[in-house]
């Protein structure tokens, strides 16, 4: 069985959709192909991948309570392609949004359900994830934790000859457990959907979120967005990003 995973975030790097898609891949068996949908230039390549696939998984951000416009354009072409080639894939959807409530993805889910019925596909259901931006940050924090552990181990080995600094490992374990806890809802529902994808069965529509209380989320989100705005849209996408448009007035 072949499953095509489509990352529909328009961002080039560090997108939450890619994170959730990679988790979903872990829980799905058979042949797996991952595609990136950003511009119309991607359409033909992705449609060709769908020709011999049995399932397709869209992972995308919620934009203004709906589907990003570049995805809508692709769905129009996909509908015609599936009808022309008599394709009846099973379609699954992972939607993530910036606000904390995953249930805000419900209108987007309905759009994919209606699309499936219109294009003659089997609607397989999906997972709506709240706090997508923050969950995406947890994976970056995990990498930072691993880097810190390595540095501490090297320093301890160099200074005392001890390759197993106990305190550093305990601190790493605590941080990793906390980050894992934040992601538990997502891991549970994606694992569950992976089981359905393997059987091409209906997974239902499930909603989850980062597992922290809303008042903590609001506090951290406020701090996060103040920092992001200071960095003009993020450290990587802001200050460090290559500027595509040259200053014309210089
Ligand atoms: C144009 C635009 C519209 C958005 N609309 C919503 C929205 O209606 N509700 C919401 O909770 N988040 C909204 N967001 C936030 C995104 O859904 C959120 O940042 C998501 O995690 C991005 O996923 P990605 O990193 O995979 O692109 C919007 C973001 C953008 C850029």
């Amino acid at each position: 069985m072949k499953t095509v995973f489509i990352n529909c975030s328009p961002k080039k790097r560090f997108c939450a959709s890619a994170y959730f898609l990679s988790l979903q891949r872990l829980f799905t068996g058979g042949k797996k192909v991952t595609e990136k949908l950003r511009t119309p230039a991607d359409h033909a390549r992705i449609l060709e991948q769908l020709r011999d696939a049995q399932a397709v998984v869209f992972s995308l951000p919620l934009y203004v309570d709906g589907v990003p416009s570049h995805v809508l354009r692709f769905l129009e072409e996909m509908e015609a392609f599936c009808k022309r080639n008599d394709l009846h894939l099973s379609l699954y959807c992972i939607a993530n949004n910036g606000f904390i409530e995953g249930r805000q993805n419900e209108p987007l889910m309905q759009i994919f359900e209606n699309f499936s019925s219109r294009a003659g596909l089997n609607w397989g259901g999906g997972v709506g994830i709240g706090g997508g931006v923050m969950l995406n940050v947890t994976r970056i924090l995990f990498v930072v934790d691993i880097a810190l552990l390595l540095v501490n181990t090297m320093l301890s080995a160099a200074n005392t000859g001890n390759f197993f600094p106990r305190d550093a490992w305990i601190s790493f374990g605590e941080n990793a457990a906390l980050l894992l806890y934040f992601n538990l809802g997502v891991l549970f529902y994606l694992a569950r959907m992976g089981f359905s994808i393997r059987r091409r069965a209906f997974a239902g529509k499930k909603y989850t979120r980062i597992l922290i209380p809303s008042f903590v989320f609001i506090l951290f989100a406020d701090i996060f967005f103040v920092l992001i705005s200071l960095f003009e849209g993020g450290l990587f996408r802001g200050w460090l990003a290559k500027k595509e448009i040259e200053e014309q007035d210089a």
Side-chain angles (χ1 to χ4, degrees):
M1 161 157 163
K2 175 179 169 185
T3 307
V4 179
F5 296 85
I6 310 179
N7 171 3
C8 303
S9 172
K11 293 176 194 159
K12 281 187 185 159
R13 288 179 297 269
F14 301 116
C15 57
S17 303
Y19 173 48
F20 300 126
L21 206 58
S22 59
L23 292 177
Q24 187 63 78
R25 274 183 64 110
L26 286 178
F27 299 122
T28 313
K31 185 176 176 195
K32 295 173 246 185
V33 175
T34 303
E35 290 289 351
K36 178 95 179 129
L37 171 60
R38 289 187 63 239
T39 69
D42 300 316
H43 291 191
R45 192 189 68 250
I46 299 174
L47 291 175
E48 270 318 303
Q49 287 292 352
L50 295 180
R51 201 183 278 282
D52 60 344
Q54 284 72 48
V56 56
V57 180
F58 284 85
S59 182
L60 71 164
L62 180 75
Y63 275 10
V64 201
D65 286 339
V67 176
S69 58
H70 71 289
V71 181
L72 286 178
R73 272 201 297 275
F74 175 75
L75 293 181
E76 278 170 4
E77 261 192 60
M78 182 174 160
E79 179 189 333
F81 182 84
C82 289
K83 284 181 175 165
R84 213 168 39 244
N85 294 287
D86 199 24
L87 301 183
H88 303 284
L89 320 164
S90 295
L91 186 150
Y92 300 85
C93 175
I94 305 167
N96 89 87
N97 62 311
F99 294 133
I100 192 159
E101 291 301 342
R103 196 162 281 280
Q104 291 190 3
N105 292 293
E106 170 65 20
L108 183 152
M109 289 287 173
Q110 286 177 12
I111 291 169
F112 271 90
E113 186 172 357
N114 291 337
F115 165 75
S116 301
S117 133
R118 171 109 187 173
L121 309 181
N122 302 314
W123 167 237
V127 181
I129 300 166
V133 181
M134 210 175 264
L135 282 164
N136 195 27
V137 170
T138 64
R139 72 164 161 164
I140 297 167
L141 291 179
F142 184 63
V143 175
V144 171
D145 275 343
I146 292 176
L148 282 177
L149 180 66
L150 285 176
V151 170
N152 278 326
T153 305
M154 282 191 297
L155 287 176
S156 156
N159 292 334
T160 64
N162 176 12
F163 280 87
F164 192 78
R166 199 168 162 271
D167 288 349
W169 274 93
I170 289 175
S171 156
F172 171 75
E174 284 172 353
N175 288 344
L178 193 64
L179 296 178
L180 178 69
Y181 174 73
F182 291 160
N183 282 268
L184 274 186
V186 171
L187 289 168
F188 174 75
Y189 283 117
L190 292 185
R192 197 177 162 278
M193 191 155 85
F195 188 64
S196 300
I197 295 171
R198 269 179 264 159
R199 293 178 298 131
R200 294 191 65 195
F202 180 60
K205 283 187 283 184
K206 302 292 172 190
Y207 298 100
T208 184
R209 56 186 254 187
I210 183 165
L211 295 189
I212 56 172
S214 299
F215 74 92
V216 177
F217 176 88
I218 291 168
L219 186 69
F220 277 93
D222 284 352
I223 295 169
F224 178 76
F225 282 111
V226 168
L227 289 177
I228 286 287
S229 61
L230 289 177
F231 282 104
E232 298 176 7
L235 193 57
F236 300 104
R237 280 190 295 277
W239 281 7
L240 300 182
K242 223 196 276 174
K243 300 284 179 288
E244 286 178 3
I245 302 167
E246 293 292 322
E247 301 250 348
Q248 292 183 351
D249 302 331

